Amino acid sequence: LMVLVYAGAHISGANYNPAISWSIFIRKGMSFGNFLSYMGAQIFGACVAGCIIFQFVNVPSLNNLLDMLSMSQELSIVTPLMKDLGILNDPIFSLDFFFREMLLTFLFTFVVLQVATCDQTKGNSYFGLVIGLTLTAVSFLHPLMGLNPAITLWNFIKSFLSGNQNTIFHSAALGAQFLGATLSGLLYHF
């Protein structure tokens, strides 16, 4: 990501993530029309990249990873309400996951807002490094992270088309990502 941030900074501000676009929109740094344009391009790019990766590279699918992880009941606790409603019986889906996804998306988008869109740090040469290191640190804290709604949406579409039940998991991840991005956009001015 760090290399792509430096490579694309002069084209789109290296804005590859709808959560980033949303947080910029929330902080009033982008019009709603621009947000929709960016998000459309980001989702299209994620879907194309996903098709290429799954077509040509032997990568275990997220569904297989979730199936493997859900064998361990100790990973997380599904709230009784979710079980009663039958929303998802997979123990990997939990409030713990939702809050972790939300908090780390908040952290990531907040860092991007501060180092790449703030007037006080405008023109710095370290923004790509800080963004790349933040994403690396976050990936150690939350290995199943999404942080990018475009990629999460691609996984949702893939799960939906294959008839997999993980669509609820991806829907919750999307909600957590946009909630985290909303909070960072709102807190930007404080």
Side-chain angles (χ1 to χ4, degrees), residues 18 20 23 29 31 40 52 54 62 70 87-88 118 129-130 143 147-148 153 169 176 190:
I20 302 297
S23 64
S31 71
I52 291 169
F54 287 108
L62 178 61
S70 68
I87 293 174
L88 190 65
C118 184
L129 181 62
V130 171
L147 304 186
N148 188 329
L153 185 60
F169 171 83
F190 292 105

Side-chain angles (χ1 to χ4, degrees), residues 12 15 20-32 34-35 38 113 116-119 185 188-189:
S12 68
N15 186 353
I20 302 297
S21 299
W22 180 250
S23 64
I24 293 170
F25 167 72
I26 292 294
R27 77 158 185 92
K28 298 180 177 20
M30 174 186 290
S31 71
F32 188 68
N34 281 348
F35 163 71
Y38 270 81
L113 289 179
T117 71
C118 184
D119 288 337
Y188 173 81
H189 295 290

Side-chain angles (χ1 to χ4, degrees), residues 7 9 13 33-35 38 70 72 99 116 120 124 132-133 163 165 171 179 184:
N34 281 348
F35 163 71
Y38 270 81
S70 68
S72 170
F99 287 118
Q120 290 84 351
N124 70 67
L133 289 173
Q165 296 300 311
S171 300
L179 183 58
S184 72

